[in-house]
Amino acid sequence: MGFLIAVDGPAASGKGTIAAKLARLYGYPALDSGLLYRAVGVRLLAEGGDLSDVAAATAVARTLDPAELEKPEVRTRAAGEAASRVAIHTPVRECLRDFQRAFAAQEPGAVIDGRDIATVIAPWAPAKLFVTASPEVRAERRWRQLTAQGEAVEYADILADIRIRDERDSGRSDSPMVRADDAVLLDTSEMTIDGAFDAARRIVEAARANWSGN
Ligand SMILES: Nc1ncnc2c1ncn2[C@@H]1O[C@H](COP(=O)(O)OP(=O)(O)O)[C@@H](O)[C@H]1O
Ligand SMILES: Nc1ccn([C@@H]2O[C@H](COP(=O)(O)OP(=O)(O)O)[C@@H](O)[C@H]2O)c(=O)n1
């Protein structure tokens, strides 16, 4: 198994940004695991399905095509909400698990960001970060991001979304969002993107120095 960097954390904490930069730094492939759940939610809704219909959501997860992760629709506010609603279904998570585990194990290394990478997908990961920030800061970042993408959204509504999603993601019974005991907490509330990346890089370098692999 390679040097896997697991980057977990709540919505809009900056974990994807950090994961992408670490992947570039080390020359590893990166997987944004949230896109898998977003793509399931988006297709289910497009087919007129119900997000609480476990069988229908599982059928979509089983037939997910990588091209669906590239669609701009998976990056919308509604897709984030839909993702967290299909992500509570155990059979949906099971359908997506093998792909993530195979991605995680590749040599010489990989970076995956999500909610349960360090706890469920790859507890063996040599480097684990739990990236967070206050709900207000995350809402501000998500509001800016969605506005820049052309979505008309209000800050107050995005803050409410963030709070609901935090509760749903950390309260579900299967693979809840939680910091792994051995994951390093990185609170980016007061950090710039460069500052957060620098802190993440130092955490990963320390983990690499302790790693018994190549
Ligand atoms: N430290 C930071 N300071 C300001 N903006 C940030 C920071 N980290 C990320 N962002 C921005 O916030 C938004 C959400 O970041 P992203 O990495 O997609 O979060 P996540 O993957 O946790 O949902 C993006 O537009 C990103 O550019
Ligand atoms: N490894 C993962 C990744 C995402 N998810 C779910 O998918 C949703 C969307 O994830 P995301 O990472 O794209 O969300 P943001 O953090 O970008 O808003 C989350 O709210 C989780 O419910 C998950 O359950 N497990």
Side-chain angles (χ1 to χ4, degrees), residues 82-191:
S84 79
R85 292 184 56 193
V86 295
I88 67 173
H89 306 315
T90 292
V92 168
R93 305 197 71 84
E94 281 169 352
C95 283
L96 304 174
R97 207 162 276 167
D98 287 351
F99 171 73
Q100 293 176 79
R101 288 200 169 136
F103 194 96
Q106 67 190 297
E107 305 272 0
V111 187
I112 310 186
D113 76 281
R115 300 290 185 289
D116 62 340
I117 307 306
T119 50
V120 173
I121 297 298
W124 55 268
K128 299 177 178 180
L129 284 98
F130 192 86
V131 179
T132 189
S134 71
E136 292 77 11
V137 166
R138 289 187 283 127
E140 168 78 25
R141 290 177 186 167
R142 183 52 43 94
W143 177 82
R144 271 184 203 285
Q145 185 180 31
L146 291 171
T147 303
Q149 281 172 205
E151 260 195 272
V153 288
E154 297 288 336
Y155 170 81
D157 295 332
I158 299 302
L159 179 57
D161 282 5
I162 292 265
R163 291 190 193 283
I164 290 168
R165 202 124 71 85
D166 282 359
E167 249 186 68
R168 195 185 289 130
D169 288 350
S170 52
R172 68 184 176 219
S173 54
D174 190 344
S175 313
M177 172 178 75
V178 61
R179 184 179 68 81
D181 291 340
D182 53 350
V184 180
L185 182 69
L186 180 58
D187 187 331
T188 69
S189 302
E190 311 268 304
M191 294 179 181

